[in-house]
Amino acid sequence: MEKGLEKHMDETFKLPGVAAVLCTDGHGLCLGAKGSAPKHSSGPIATLAAMAGDLGPSSAASPVVCIESEAGSVLIKSCDNLTVAVFKAT
């Protein structure tokens, strides 16, 4: 894993309330995970990010997908060919 990506994942993982961080490429290949992030979810996370981009009006910025449950939430954002999912505990 690239050292820059690992450094950003470590910094994000240390933020209050963050239970896990997962990074995937545009094809759903898991590039890295910290904490309790399920690595097998990298494909669906990449797909959700791509589909969310198709829903809204055409713009340069991709949307942020937020999935909430009683256990916490997952924030998903794509940029270029990288998708990041941040799992937050309640």
Side-chain angles (χ1 to χ4, degrees):
M1 180 175 12
E2 187 178 318
K3 290 188 185 250
L5 177 61
E6 187 172 348
K7 178 183 174 195
H8 286 297
M9 287 177 52
D10 286 338
E11 290 172 1
T12 303
F13 185 63
K14 291 177 185 176
L15 293 173
V18 174
V21 179
L22 185 138
C23 292
T24 180
D25 70 2
H27 300 288
L29 175 66
C30 182
L31 301 175
K34 297 279 183 189
S36 59
K39 292 181 181 180
H40 66 273
S41 66
S42 62
I45 286 172
T47 301
L48 279 170
M51 293 176 78
D54 293 340
L55 290 175
S58 179
S59 69
S62 65
V64 175
V65 177
C66 180
I67 301 171
E68 296 180 340
S69 72
E70 292 177 3
S73 61
V74 182
L75 301 170
I76 303 169
K77 172 84 172 154
S78 285
C79 185
D80 297 327
N81 195 32
L82 180 70
T83 300
V84 178
V86 178
F87 296 77
K88 299 188 83 176
T90 54

